[in-house]
Amino acid sequence: MIQLKGIKKTYNTDERKVHALKGVTLDMRDSEFVCVLGPSGCGKTTLLNIIGGLDRYTSGDLIIDGKSTKHFTDVDWDTYRSRKVGFVFQSYNLISHQTVLENVETALVISGIGREERRKRAIQALVDVGLSEHLRKTPRQLSGGEMQRVAIARALVNNPKMILADEPTGALDSENSVKIMDLLKEISKDRLVVMVTHNAELASEYATRTIRMKDGLVVTDDKPFKATDTEKKQEEKKKKQSHMPYTLAAKLSIKNLAGKKIRTALTSVASSIAIIGIALVLACHNGLNAFIDKVQKDTMSSVPITVSTSDYNYQIDEILGYINSTAKGDEEKGPIESVLINHALKNMQPQNITNEISTHFVDYLKGLDSNRVRYDAVKNVSKRVYKNVRLPIYSNTEILKEVSVLDDAKKWACLPPDRSILEDQYHLVAGKYPENPEELLLVVDKNSAVADTVLATYLLDVYAIDEEKTHYTYEEILNTPELNEYHLVLNDDYYVERDGGFYADKTISLAKHIHKYYRSETLLSTIEGELNKNEFIKLINELGVKVNCFDVVPETDGGSKTLKIVGIIKLNDDTQYGMFTSPIAYLPSLNELVIENSYSSAIVQAQFNDTSVSVLDRSVIATGDKIRLNNILSDLGYAELPTKIKFYPNTIEDKDYLIEYLDAYNETNGDNPDITYTDNVGAIIDVVRIVVGSVSAILLALTSISLIVSSIMIGIITYVSVIERTKEIGVLRSVGARKKDVVRLFVTETGVIGLVAGICGLLLTMLIAIPLNTVMGNLTGVTGFVFLRWWNYIAIVLGSSLLTVMAGFIPSLLASKKDPVKALRSE
Ligand code: ADP
Ligand code: MG
């Protein structure tokens, strides 16, 4: 039941105040057909809008079911409209991109009615108005009368208590007008129908009550009614508030977008270009980081973190002392410069730091988690190895055609303590993995090659079988003793005690002779045969300065052994840098074997017993310096403590753990010497990471600008859409949609664009990534270089939707603020 009490409505326009209603007092019956007549501009529409809660009265009161509306909130009005009022407009106000059925359903969706029920009721309403044939048509495909019947169906579908019709027949011919009037008459049997019309004839024919208005006042009322206050109805239980579910918002948005395919497509493409930029930068950033990780992991084993003692000062002193002693000039030693440089270089090599790591630190390492970091304690011991080699020297001197070449094998690579470290980088291609100290591995590169200069240095005789032969198969190498055998000469087979407790080589070093005689230019006369000077130079170059040749093969009574290459390992294709620079690798147990044997050898025992006796450097021993003694022992193949410890962390996190563990040592070691570790690769990688990170951040910022531009564009487009759809906003508001619902409608629309753009952008990125991966794969050896992590996908799609939602927010806020009355009046 509706009661108007002194309702006044004043519009404040720019120039003046318009008093559209000047105090209307009217009570309506629950069920009657009221016709409101009056000249144009007398306030009929205003009155209807106020009764329907679409417009607010300036003063007075509207009492609904005995309840004053003076303190109604916006939401109360929205709920009132959606539950109790059905509007019918002269211009139908149908949403043109929805079907007839959907137009009717919209009113129900907003009141929160379930899908099945909704469809049933909407169809029923359309059947009731005689439109069962036209459910799937759009409003454009209908005649005016039919459109108005859709509007009536929409007004009725919610089963409201009143229908407010503003000149529903104004745009119709008389035949259609009659049909509409019949319909309204029928409807008014069990509810209130208030209809505004110009047509007094129609009014008198159909209405049960006629009200005439003039200048904002009611002038006549042919069937007045005064409600008694006792008629106050029991207040209804508070129903669920009307609101627009997200599904409707999404549906309306998608429908609208579908209606503007080209615009939507262009907007989405524009945004997705920005997305592609961002996704590609992210993907490349990921790829670069993966590449850096991989390089770091590779280099972690080829350049492991190494701990050695920090006593470098001693070395510098030693070098300076040597310079002083030789500066006086020594004809025998040749030019001072070359001696100095050679000596300095020899000492700068980390292998030659023979200052041992303390037992305290070795013990400390027992606390290191061996599942995270494996380590290898390297003892610096020489292994004397010789091999019979045929040299490419064109000489008639037999001795020089085939000589035994001796080396200390210091350059040979010791295999890591754990086979799995090796297998991160290398794989076995022939033979087997060595099982005992006498078994060796040959290391070949990715092309299955070993450079022949390297071979010469490492005593692999490339000319052993055939001078013309340039290639050997793995099988040939593993099956030919000339190629795969070395002889390990242990101390007792090499040194012999001479008179006076001195030890000397059993054999005569040919190289020493060459060296000596070459200098004194008397070489040709001391060597038998026809060998010219140039050939000797060639020989020395072939062998390198560190190689000794001897012409008498050592005996083997002292336990000397034959070492044999039993397997060949090859660098993995995806490994950048292998851990070995030497083509020959041996088990750590070979070191132990040499150390054990050396310890019991006569010459080493002699060093312990009487440090004044040495074959190597008597002047050094005389100083009684422990470090120098250790140097000598190491040359004799004996060492107690490691000189270097190599650490192999499993992962980058394990590396951090190791570094923390090592740092902690120096704080707790008391009087023991500090240790230093080298992590050159880590330092470089950190810098590279920072550079890559900053470049990516800058690129990301730059590409983000395009995303912002596209968002602004979306904002503009949404604004245009808001203007275009003013009418629709009015309709939605008239059936009870809240301001929020309108915001939701537009925001969903931009969100959908953002979502589509995000997904399209990602799909296109994946397409672009295919050729990019091929190129980057070739460059870096990383397969799947350009890749996105799962959270990148989510972030991009969410970010894109969120940004467009934000872009759509301001225009949609403007839309929601639109006065529904004005919105409906707009054409
Ligand atoms: P009717 O429906 O009887 O033709 P209306 O209710 O539409 O009349 O209008 C009543 C008066 O109020 C008119 O003078 C009209 O110009 C004025 N009016 C209506 N809406 C507005 C508005 N939004 N702002 C200013 N004046 C308005
Ligand atoms: Mg009007």
Side-chain angles (χ1 to χ4, degrees):
M1 188 185 56
I2 299 293
Q3 296 166 269
L4 288 82
K5 294 210 156 112
I7 293 282
K8 289 185 182 168
K9 175 70 186 179
T10 310
Y11 290 109
N12 293 311
T13 59
D14 292 339
E15 305 111 52
R16 62 201 177 88
K17 287 188 171 181
V18 180
H19 300 283
L21 293 178
K22 297 172 178 168
V24 176
T25 302
L26 262 181
D27 288 6
M28 310 269 191
R29 294 175 182 85
D30 282 344
S31 161
E32 62 178 337
F33 192 168
V34 184
C35 264
V36 182
L37 292 168
S40 187
C42 73
K44 307 180 296 290
T45 300
T46 308
L47 181 72
L48 220 56
N49 287 343
I50 286 176
I51 294 174
L54 211 53
D55 208 351
R56 306 281 174 272
Y57 48 86
T58 314
S59 66
D61 196 2
L62 174 70
I63 292 164
I64 301 164
D65 295 335
K67 202 175 166 216
S68 165
T69 58
K70 272 185 182 158
H71 303 292
F72 258 35
T73 62
D74 280 357
V75 173
D76 290 332
W77 283 116
D78 293 338
T79 311
Y80 165 65
R81 276 202 310 280
S82 92
R83 301 214 174 280
K84 300 199 171 161
V85 188
F87 280 98
V88 179
F89 307 95
Q90 180 181 350
S91 54
Y92 329 125
N93 288 342
L94 299 178
I95 298 173
S96 58
H97 53 78
Q98 287 190 319
T99 64
V100 165
L101 184 60
E102 282 164 344
N103 262 287
V104 177
E105 265 189 84
T106 300
L108 287 173
V109 178
I110 285 169
S111 22
I113 289 164
R115 196 189 158 83
E116 294 280 298
E117 172 78 4
R118 214 158 66 205
R119 177 121 313 184
K120 222 173 78 190
R121 277 167 67 175
I123 292 173
Q124 186 56 49
L126 283 162
V127 170
D128 288 349
V129 298
L131 287 176
S132 49
E133 307 283 291
H134 306 291
L135 301 184
R136 306 279 163 209
K137 287 186 178 167
T138 58
R140 269 188 268 266
Q141 295 164 301
L142 300 179
S143 72
E146 286 165 339
M147 282 198 269
Q148 196 57 291
R149 278 188 279 157
V150 176
I152 292 172
R154 179 178 64 192
L156 274 178
V157 72
N158 229 348
N159 197 21
K161 287 194 156 56
M162 70 182 101
I163 296 288
L164 304 174
D166 194 352
E167 300 189 39
T169 59
L172 300 178
D173 56 30
S174 56
E175 196 189 327
N176 273 310
S177 297
V178 168
K179 281 185 188 164
I180 295 296
M181 292 308 285
D182 283 336
L183 201 54
L184 290 173
K185 178 83 181 171
E186 181 68 25
I187 291 163
S188 71
K189 279 182 182 157
D190 51 3
R191 55 171 68 78
L192 171 64
V193 174
V194 183
M195 184 184 109
V196 168
T197 182
H198 284 308
N199 196 326
E201 221 174 289
L202 275 181
S204 64
E205 200 175 320
Y206 287 93
T208 56
R209 179 181 176 186
T210 308
I211 290 167
R212 284 178 189 277
M213 288 184 67
K214 202 180 172 188
D215 285 340
L217 286 169
V218 173
V219 286
T220 62
D221 183 350
D222 66 358
K223 207 175 173 190
F225 169 66
K226 182 83 193 86
T228 52
D229 286 345
T230 50
E231 246 183 289
K232 215 183 231 177
K233 277 189 181 170
Q234 194 89 41
E235 203 183 312
E236 271 178 74
K237 267 191 188 160
K238 205 169 184 182
K239 281 193 205 163
K240 214 172 82 185
Q241 271 181 4
S242 72
H243 71 96
M244 184 194 282
Y246 287 102
T247 46
L248 176 69
K251 215 169 148 192
L252 285 175
S253 308
I254 289 164
K255 278 266 170 179
N256 181 50
L257 290 175
K260 298 171 198 140
K261 286 192 186 76
I262 291 172
R263 185 199 287 180
T264 310
L266 286 177
T267 324
S268 298
V269 165
S271 312
S272 67
I273 287 169
I275 298 287
I276 293 170
I278 288 175
L280 277 180
V281 171
L282 274 178
C284 289
H285 179 76
N286 288 340
L288 279 174
N289 268 330
F291 176 61
I292 293 170
D293 281 352
K294 188 176 157 3
V295 169
Q296 189 173 19
K297 206 164 176 259
D298 284 353
T299 46
M300 261 185 333
S301 39
S302 62
V303 189
I305 294 178
T306 307
V307 159
S308 45
T309 48
S310 57
D311 201 357
Y312 285 97
N313 287 339
Y314 175 80
Q315 291 215 320
I316 291 163
D317 284 351
E318 189 186 42
I319 294 165
L320 287 175
Y322 197 87
I323 290 169
N324 285 335
S325 73
T326 52
K328 290 175 189 99
D330 185 340
E331 293 293 301
E332 274 286 290
K333 282 180 181 162
I336 287 173
E337 292 90 337
S338 68
V339 172
L340 283 183
I341 290 165
N342 279 336
H343 191 83
L345 281 178
K346 188 174 176 246
N347 281 281
M348 293 314 275
Q349 284 171 1
Q351 294 99 309
N352 290 324
I353 302 168
T354 48
N355 198 359
E356 289 168 341
I357 287 165
S358 72
T359 29
H360 187 258
F361 181 68
V362 173
D363 286 343
Y364 176 75
L365 288 181
K366 286 178 186 147
L368 193 68
D369 183 352
S370 61
N371 291 323
R372 304 188 68 180
V373 182
R374 289 155 298 183
Y375 67 89
D376 188 5
V378 184
K379 288 178 177 171
N380 190 29
V381 291
S382 297
K383 288 166 285 295
R384 215 172 298 102
V385 173
Y386 79 90
K387 187 162 174 52
N388 294 324
V389 179
R390 273 157 49 97
L391 293 163
I393 291 172
Y394 305 104
S395 157
N396 53 8
T397 313
E398 282 305 308
I399 290 173
L400 289 168
K401 263 195 165 176
E402 189 161 326
V403 292
S404 296
V405 188
L406 184 79
D407 189 25
D408 65 5
K410 266 187 179 168
K411 287 170 299 200
W412 286 13
C414 186
L415 289 164
D418 191 327
R419 194 173 159 181
S420 70
I421 296 174
L422 177 80
E423 282 168 354
D424 281 346
Q425 299 185 350
Y426 295 90
H427 58 283
L428 198 67
V429 286
K432 58 163 193 157
Y433 193 79
E435 281 153 15
N436 62 59
E438 281 125 80
E439 294 180 329
L440 307 172
L441 278 180
L442 177 69
V443 186
V444 295
D445 65 15
K446 281 180 197 174
N447 305 317
S448 303
V450 180
D452 53 0
T453 52
V454 177
L455 284 179
T457 316
Y458 289 90
L459 317 184
L460 262 169
D461 184 3
V462 282
Y463 304 97
I465 294 175
D466 179 351
E467 270 179 44
E468 301 300 316
K469 203 166 164 70
T470 53
H471 289 81
Y472 290 102
T473 64
Y474 294 149
E475 292 312 311
E476 276 171 331
I477 292 170
L478 294 178
N479 294 325
T480 313
E482 286 91 338
L483 289 173
N484 63 34
E485 276 185 4
Y486 288 86
H487 304 283
L488 176 71
V489 191
L490 294 166
N491 284 349
D492 286 345
D493 285 332
Y494 190 78
Y495 293 108
V496 62
E497 192 177 356
R498 294 271 160 84
D499 295 339
F502 290 101
Y503 283 81
D505 305 11
K506 277 181 180 174
T507 54
I508 297 157
S509 166
L510 183 61
K512 273 181 189 164
H513 284 288
I514 294 167
H515 191 71
K516 195 169 163 190
Y517 289 112
Y518 173 56
R519 284 212 174 281
S520 58
E521 307 260 350
T522 55
L523 180 73
L524 292 176
S525 63
T526 54
I527 298 276
E528 273 178 47
E530 306 283 317
L531 189 71
N532 70 38
K533 187 172 147 190
N534 289 338
E535 282 171 345
F536 269 104
I537 295 171
K538 208 172 167 188
L539 168 67
I540 289 165
N541 288 341
E542 283 296 334
L543 297 175
V545 282
K546 287 181 182 165
V547 178
N548 291 314
C549 303
F550 59 98
D551 48 3
V552 182
V553 174
E555 297 142 33
T556 53
D557 326 344
S560 293
K561 293 188 186 320
T562 298
L563 307 179
K564 189 171 182 230
I565 294 171
V566 296
I568 298 174
I569 53 169
K570 185 175 171 180
L571 198 62
N572 294 339
D573 278 340
D574 60 350
T575 301
Q576 300 290 314
Y577 312 101
M579 68 176 88
F580 301 129
T581 49
S582 150
I584 295 173
Y586 58 91
L587 285 177
S589 58
L590 178 63
N591 270 344
E592 293 308 319
L593 184 147
V594 171
I595 289 168
E596 212 173 291
N597 183 282
S598 299
Y599 181 69
S600 56
S601 70
I603 187 170
V604 169
Q605 286 302 318
Q607 309 297 320
F608 287 130
N609 296 338
D610 181 358
T611 50
S612 69
V613 182
S614 168
V615 286
L616 292 169
D617 191 345
R618 296 210 300 144
S619 64
V620 165
I621 292 303
T623 66
D625 193 310
K626 184 161 190 307
I627 289 170
R628 295 203 180 193
L629 175 61
N630 284 343
N631 258 323
I632 290 162
L633 290 174
S634 130
D635 278 349
L636 293 175
Y638 178 73
E640 252 166 48
L641 286 166
T643 49
K644 188 160 77 173
I645 300 179
K646 290 183 191 168
F647 294 90
Y648 303 89
N650 287 333
T651 63
I652 290 151
E653 289 75 40
D654 290 342
K655 187 185 125 176
D656 295 339
Y657 156 76
L658 168 68
I659 285 178
E660 238 170 73
Y661 191 81
L662 294 179
D663 286 340
Y665 176 75
N666 287 346
E667 280 160 29
T668 57
N669 60 348
D671 290 339
N672 294 289
D674 278 0
I675 52 104
T676 52
Y677 57 85
T678 48
D679 179 22
N680 299 332
V681 176
I684 292 166
I685 290 220
D686 284 348
V687 172
V688 171
R689 233 182 250 289
I690 290 169
V691 170
V692 167
S694 339
V695 170
S696 305
I698 291 166
L699 285 178
L700 212 57
L702 290 178
T703 43
S704 298
I705 291 173
S706 58
L707 194 62
I708 291 168
V709 169
S710 76
S711 300
I712 292 172
M713 181 184 73
I714 286 171
I716 294 168
I717 285 170
T718 311
Y719 185 67
V720 171
S721 181
V722 164
I723 291 169
E724 281 175 357
R725 292 166 75 192
T726 303
K727 191 73 160 293
E728 186 182 337
I729 297 169
V731 173
L732 288 171
R733 298 278 278 141
S734 79
V735 297
R738 296 166 302 171
K739 286 181 180 173
K740 258 191 229 173
D741 298 326
V742 176
V743 173
R744 195 180 287 174
L745 182 66
F746 285 93
V747 158
T748 317
E749 197 171 306
T750 54
V752 168
I753 292 180
L755 195 73
V756 171
I759 292 169
C760 284
L762 285 177
L763 289 177
L764 286 171
T765 307
M766 285 173 181
L767 272 182
I768 297 171
I770 297 170
L772 211 60
N773 270 334
T774 321
V775 174
M776 292 312 287
N778 288 339
L779 280 177
T780 62
V782 176
T783 44
F785 183 88
V786 181
F787 72 97
L788 288 170
R789 294 172 205 284
W790 63 267
W791 55 264
N792 289 149
Y793 288 104
I794 294 174
I796 285 171
V797 171
L798 272 187
S800 158
S801 317
L802 213 73
L803 212 64
T804 50
V805 161
M806 273 158 58
F809 190 70
I810 294 172
S812 38
L813 213 59
L814 289 175
S816 75
K817 289 264 156 63
K818 272 189 192 288
D819 184 344
V821 179
K822 279 188 201 153
L824 284 170
R825 275 175 206 252
S826 75
E827 257 330 302

